[in-house]
Short mmCIF file of all heavy atoms in Angstrom, two decimals:
data_model
loop_
_atom_site.label_atom_id
_atom_site.label_comp_id
_atom_site.label_asym_id
_atom_site.label_seq_id
_atom_site.Cartn_x
_atom_site.Cartn_y
_atom_site.Cartn_z
N SER A 1 -2.96 9.15 25.27
CA SER A 1 -2.81 10.42 24.55
C SER A 1 -1.77 11.31 25.22
O SER A 1 -0.94 11.95 24.55
CB SER A 1 -4.15 11.16 24.49
OG SER A 1 -5.12 10.43 23.77
N LEU A 2 -1.78 11.35 26.53
CA LEU A 2 -0.84 12.17 27.28
C LEU A 2 0.61 11.80 26.95
O LEU A 2 1.47 12.66 26.80
CB LEU A 2 -1.09 12.00 28.78
CG LEU A 2 -0.26 12.86 29.74
CD1 LEU A 2 -0.65 14.33 29.62
CD2 LEU A 2 -0.44 12.38 31.18
N GLY A 3 0.86 10.51 26.80
CA GLY A 3 2.21 10.05 26.53
C GLY A 3 2.78 10.51 25.20
O GLY A 3 3.99 10.46 24.98
N ASN A 4 1.93 10.98 24.29
CA ASN A 4 2.38 11.41 22.96
C ASN A 4 2.69 12.91 22.89
O ASN A 4 3.07 13.40 21.83
CB ASN A 4 1.32 11.07 21.91
CG ASN A 4 1.36 9.60 21.51
OD1 ASN A 4 2.09 8.81 22.10
ND2 ASN A 4 0.60 9.24 20.51
N ILE A 5 2.52 13.62 23.99
CA ILE A 5 2.80 15.05 23.98
C ILE A 5 4.32 15.27 23.99
O ILE A 5 5.05 14.70 24.81
CB ILE A 5 2.15 15.75 25.20
CG1 ILE A 5 0.62 15.60 25.12
CG2 ILE A 5 2.56 17.21 25.28
CD1 ILE A 5 -0.10 16.13 26.34
N VAL A 6 4.79 16.11 23.05
CA VAL A 6 6.22 16.41 22.90
C VAL A 6 6.42 17.90 23.17
O VAL A 6 5.58 18.72 22.83
CB VAL A 6 6.71 16.05 21.49
CG1 VAL A 6 8.17 16.42 21.29
CG2 VAL A 6 6.51 14.55 21.23
N PHE A 7 7.56 18.25 23.78
CA PHE A 7 7.84 19.63 24.16
C PHE A 7 9.02 20.20 23.37
O PHE A 7 9.91 19.47 22.95
CB PHE A 7 8.14 19.72 25.66
CG PHE A 7 7.04 19.16 26.53
CD1 PHE A 7 7.08 17.83 26.95
CD2 PHE A 7 5.96 19.94 26.90
CE1 PHE A 7 6.07 17.30 27.73
CE2 PHE A 7 4.95 19.42 27.68
CZ PHE A 7 5.00 18.10 28.10
N GLU A 8 8.99 21.52 23.20
CA GLU A 8 10.11 22.21 22.57
C GLU A 8 10.41 23.48 23.35
O GLU A 8 9.50 24.12 23.90
CB GLU A 8 9.78 22.55 21.10
CG GLU A 8 8.58 23.46 20.92
CD GLU A 8 8.30 23.77 19.46
OE1 GLU A 8 8.92 23.13 18.59
OE2 GLU A 8 7.43 24.64 19.19
N PRO A 9 11.70 23.85 23.42
CA PRO A 9 12.07 25.04 24.20
C PRO A 9 11.61 26.33 23.52
O PRO A 9 11.48 26.40 22.31
CB PRO A 9 13.61 24.96 24.26
CG PRO A 9 14.00 24.06 23.15
CD PRO A 9 12.87 23.14 22.88
N GLU A 10 11.35 27.35 24.35
CA GLU A 10 11.00 28.67 23.86
C GLU A 10 12.19 29.63 24.04
O GLU A 10 12.99 29.46 24.97
CB GLU A 10 9.78 29.22 24.61
CG GLU A 10 8.49 28.48 24.27
CD GLU A 10 7.26 29.23 24.78
OE1 GLU A 10 7.23 29.54 26.00
OE2 GLU A 10 6.38 29.54 23.96
N GLU A 11 12.29 30.61 23.16
CA GLU A 11 13.41 31.53 23.21
C GLU A 11 13.46 32.31 24.52
O GLU A 11 14.52 32.59 25.07
CB GLU A 11 13.34 32.51 22.03
CG GLU A 11 13.60 31.86 20.69
CD GLU A 11 13.60 32.88 19.56
OE1 GLU A 11 13.51 34.10 19.86
OE2 GLU A 11 13.69 32.45 18.40
N ALA A 12 12.28 32.65 25.03
CA ALA A 12 12.23 33.44 26.27
C ALA A 12 12.44 32.60 27.52
O ALA A 12 12.42 33.12 28.64
CB ALA A 12 10.90 34.17 26.35
N GLY A 13 12.65 31.30 27.34
CA GLY A 13 12.81 30.40 28.49
C GLY A 13 11.59 29.51 28.66
O GLY A 13 10.49 29.85 28.20
N GLY A 14 11.79 28.40 29.29
CA GLY A 14 10.70 27.45 29.47
C GLY A 14 10.44 26.66 28.19
O GLY A 14 11.25 26.66 27.25
N VAL A 15 9.33 25.96 28.17
CA VAL A 15 8.98 25.11 27.04
C VAL A 15 7.51 25.28 26.70
O VAL A 15 6.73 25.83 27.48
CB VAL A 15 9.26 23.61 27.33
CG1 VAL A 15 10.73 23.35 27.54
CG2 VAL A 15 8.43 23.14 28.53
N THR A 16 7.14 24.80 25.52
CA THR A 16 5.74 24.71 25.14
C THR A 16 5.54 23.40 24.40
O THR A 16 6.51 22.67 24.14
CB THR A 16 5.33 25.89 24.25
OG1 THR A 16 3.90 25.86 24.07
CG2 THR A 16 6.01 25.82 22.89
N VAL A 17 4.31 23.09 24.08
CA VAL A 17 4.02 21.84 23.37
C VAL A 17 4.36 22.00 21.90
O VAL A 17 4.01 23.00 21.27
CB VAL A 17 2.54 21.45 23.56
CG1 VAL A 17 2.17 20.28 22.64
CG2 VAL A 17 2.27 21.07 25.00
N ASP A 18 5.06 21.03 21.36
CA ASP A 18 5.40 21.00 19.95
C ASP A 18 4.12 21.08 19.11
O ASP A 18 3.11 20.45 19.44
CB ASP A 18 6.15 19.70 19.65
CG ASP A 18 6.44 19.52 18.18
OD1 ASP A 18 7.44 20.07 17.70
OD2 ASP A 18 5.64 18.85 17.52
N GLY A 19 4.16 21.87 18.04
CA GLY A 19 2.96 22.08 17.23
C GLY A 19 2.34 20.81 16.72
O GLY A 19 1.12 20.65 16.67
N ALA A 20 3.19 19.83 16.36
CA ALA A 20 2.68 18.57 15.80
C ALA A 20 1.94 17.74 16.84
O ALA A 20 1.13 16.87 16.49
CB ALA A 20 3.84 17.76 15.22
N SER A 21 2.20 17.99 18.12
CA SER A 21 1.54 17.18 19.15
C SER A 21 0.46 17.96 19.90
O SER A 21 -0.04 17.49 20.92
CB SER A 21 2.56 16.63 20.14
OG SER A 21 3.19 17.66 20.86
N MET A 22 0.13 19.16 19.40
CA MET A 22 -0.93 19.93 20.05
C MET A 22 -2.25 19.17 20.05
O MET A 22 -3.05 19.28 20.99
CB MET A 22 -1.10 21.28 19.34
CG MET A 22 -2.08 22.22 20.02
SD MET A 22 -1.63 22.64 21.73
CE MET A 22 -0.22 23.72 21.43
N GLY A 23 -2.48 18.38 18.99
CA GLY A 23 -3.69 17.57 18.94
C GLY A 23 -3.76 16.57 20.07
O GLY A 23 -4.85 16.28 20.60
N TRP A 24 -2.60 16.01 20.47
CA TRP A 24 -2.57 15.05 21.58
C TRP A 24 -2.89 15.74 22.90
O TRP A 24 -3.54 15.15 23.78
CB TRP A 24 -1.21 14.37 21.66
CG TRP A 24 -0.93 13.45 20.51
CD1 TRP A 24 0.00 13.61 19.54
CD2 TRP A 24 -1.62 12.23 20.20
NE1 TRP A 24 -0.05 12.56 18.64
CE2 TRP A 24 -1.03 11.70 19.03
CE3 TRP A 24 -2.67 11.53 20.80
CZ2 TRP A 24 -1.46 10.51 18.44
CZ3 TRP A 24 -3.09 10.34 20.22
CH2 TRP A 24 -2.50 9.84 19.06
N LEU A 25 -2.43 16.98 23.05
CA LEU A 25 -2.76 17.73 24.26
C LEU A 25 -4.27 17.93 24.36
O LEU A 25 -4.88 17.71 25.42
CB LEU A 25 -2.05 19.09 24.25
CG LEU A 25 -2.45 20.04 25.39
CD1 LEU A 25 -1.93 19.53 26.71
CD2 LEU A 25 -1.95 21.46 25.11
N LYS A 26 -4.90 18.33 23.24
CA LYS A 26 -6.34 18.55 23.24
C LYS A 26 -7.09 17.24 23.48
O LYS A 26 -8.11 17.22 24.19
CB LYS A 26 -6.77 19.18 21.92
CG LYS A 26 -6.24 20.60 21.73
CD LYS A 26 -6.66 21.16 20.37
CE LYS A 26 -6.15 22.59 20.19
NZ LYS A 26 -6.50 23.14 18.86
N ALA A 27 -6.58 16.15 22.89
CA ALA A 27 -7.24 14.85 23.08
C ALA A 27 -7.17 14.42 24.54
O ALA A 27 -8.18 14.01 25.14
CB ALA A 27 -6.58 13.80 22.18
N ALA A 28 -5.97 14.55 25.16
CA ALA A 28 -5.81 14.15 26.56
C ALA A 28 -6.68 15.01 27.47
O ALA A 28 -7.32 14.50 28.40
CB ALA A 28 -4.35 14.26 26.97
N ALA A 29 -6.73 16.31 27.19
CA ALA A 29 -7.55 17.20 28.01
C ALA A 29 -9.02 16.82 27.91
O ALA A 29 -9.74 16.77 28.93
CB ALA A 29 -7.35 18.65 27.56
N GLY A 30 -9.48 16.51 26.70
CA GLY A 30 -10.87 16.10 26.53
C GLY A 30 -11.18 14.81 27.25
O GLY A 30 -12.23 14.65 27.90
N GLN A 31 -10.26 13.84 27.16
CA GLN A 31 -10.47 12.54 27.82
C GLN A 31 -10.41 12.68 29.34
O GLN A 31 -11.06 11.93 30.06
CB GLN A 31 -9.44 11.55 27.30
CG GLN A 31 -9.70 11.13 25.85
CD GLN A 31 -8.44 10.67 25.13
OE1 GLN A 31 -7.34 11.12 25.41
NE2 GLN A 31 -8.62 9.76 24.17
N PHE A 32 -9.62 13.64 29.83
CA PHE A 32 -9.53 13.87 31.27
C PHE A 32 -10.60 14.84 31.78
O PHE A 32 -10.70 15.06 32.99
CB PHE A 32 -8.15 14.42 31.63
CG PHE A 32 -7.03 13.41 31.52
CD1 PHE A 32 -5.72 13.83 31.32
CD2 PHE A 32 -7.27 12.05 31.63
CE1 PHE A 32 -4.69 12.91 31.23
CE2 PHE A 32 -6.25 11.12 31.54
CZ PHE A 32 -4.95 11.56 31.33
N GLY A 33 -11.37 15.42 30.87
CA GLY A 33 -12.44 16.32 31.28
C GLY A 33 -11.95 17.64 31.83
O GLY A 33 -12.56 18.21 32.75
N VAL A 34 -10.83 18.16 31.27
CA VAL A 34 -10.28 19.44 31.72
C VAL A 34 -10.01 20.32 30.49
O VAL A 34 -10.06 19.84 29.35
CB VAL A 34 -8.98 19.25 32.54
CG1 VAL A 34 -9.25 18.43 33.79
CG2 VAL A 34 -7.88 18.59 31.70
N GLN A 35 -9.66 21.57 30.72
CA GLN A 35 -9.37 22.49 29.62
C GLN A 35 -7.92 22.31 29.16
O GLN A 35 -7.01 22.14 29.99
CB GLN A 35 -9.58 23.94 30.06
CG GLN A 35 -11.03 24.29 30.33
CD GLN A 35 -11.91 24.09 29.09
OE1 GLN A 35 -11.56 24.51 27.99
NE2 GLN A 35 -13.04 23.41 29.29
N PRO A 36 -7.67 22.35 27.83
CA PRO A 36 -6.30 22.17 27.31
C PRO A 36 -5.29 23.15 27.91
O PRO A 36 -4.17 22.76 28.25
CB PRO A 36 -6.46 22.38 25.81
CG PRO A 36 -7.88 22.02 25.52
CD PRO A 36 -8.65 22.45 26.73
N ASP A 37 -5.67 24.42 28.07
CA ASP A 37 -4.75 25.42 28.62
C ASP A 37 -4.38 25.09 30.06
O ASP A 37 -3.23 25.31 30.49
CB ASP A 37 -5.37 26.82 28.55
CG ASP A 37 -5.42 27.35 27.13
OD1 ASP A 37 -4.76 26.75 26.24
OD2 ASP A 37 -6.13 28.35 26.89
N ASP A 38 -5.35 24.59 30.82
CA ASP A 38 -5.07 24.23 32.22
C ASP A 38 -4.12 23.03 32.29
O ASP A 38 -3.21 23.01 33.13
CB ASP A 38 -6.37 23.91 32.95
CG ASP A 38 -7.26 25.13 33.10
OD1 ASP A 38 -6.73 26.25 33.07
OD2 ASP A 38 -8.50 24.95 33.23
N LEU A 39 -4.33 22.03 31.44
CA LEU A 39 -3.44 20.88 31.42
C LEU A 39 -2.05 21.30 30.96
O LEU A 39 -1.04 20.86 31.54
CB LEU A 39 -4.00 19.80 30.48
CG LEU A 39 -3.16 18.52 30.34
CD1 LEU A 39 -2.93 17.86 31.69
CD2 LEU A 39 -3.84 17.53 29.37
N LEU A 40 -1.98 22.15 29.94
CA LEU A 40 -0.69 22.64 29.46
C LEU A 40 0.08 23.35 30.57
O LEU A 40 1.29 23.13 30.74
CB LEU A 40 -0.91 23.60 28.28
CG LEU A 40 0.34 24.31 27.74
CD1 LEU A 40 1.34 23.29 27.19
CD2 LEU A 40 -0.03 25.33 26.68
N SER A 41 -0.62 24.18 31.32
CA SER A 41 0.02 24.91 32.42
C SER A 41 0.66 23.96 33.43
O SER A 41 1.75 24.20 33.94
CB SER A 41 -0.99 25.81 33.11
OG SER A 41 -0.41 26.50 34.19
N CYS A 42 -0.04 22.85 33.73
CA CYS A 42 0.49 21.87 34.69
C CYS A 42 1.73 21.16 34.15
O CYS A 42 2.56 20.69 34.91
CB CYS A 42 -0.58 20.84 35.03
SG CYS A 42 -1.96 21.51 35.97
N LEU A 43 1.82 21.06 32.82
CA LEU A 43 2.95 20.36 32.21
C LEU A 43 4.19 21.24 32.09
O LEU A 43 5.31 20.74 32.23
CB LEU A 43 2.55 19.86 30.82
CG LEU A 43 1.50 18.74 30.77
CD1 LEU A 43 1.02 18.54 29.33
CD2 LEU A 43 2.06 17.45 31.33
N ILE A 44 4.02 22.53 31.83
CA ILE A 44 5.17 23.37 31.52
C ILE A 44 5.64 24.24 32.68
O ILE A 44 6.67 24.89 32.59
CB ILE A 44 4.88 24.29 30.30
CG1 ILE A 44 3.76 25.28 30.63
CG2 ILE A 44 4.53 23.44 29.08
CD1 ILE A 44 3.52 26.31 29.54
#
């Protein structure tokens, strides 16, 4: 699931998870037993 997460740049700088792959972020977080926001923070 983690491998399917795609990123897109933000206007203010940095990146976030592409909307179409937000489900993969939530799936990976659930399978890893962590919160999606915490996993996202580690990625970006």
Side-chain angles (χ1 to χ4, degrees):
S1 297
L2 184 69
N4 281 7
I5 297 174
V6 177
F7 303 93
E8 60 180 9
E10 290 193 306
E11 290 183 6
V15 296
T16 189
V17 170
D18 175 84
S21 65
M22 186 59 72
W24 292 113
L25 173 70
K26 293 178 179 178
Q31 289 155 331
F32 288 156
V34 299
Q35 292 300 313
D37 288 347
D38 294 336
L39 179 58
L40 174 63
S41 178
C42 292
L43 292 169
I44 65 173

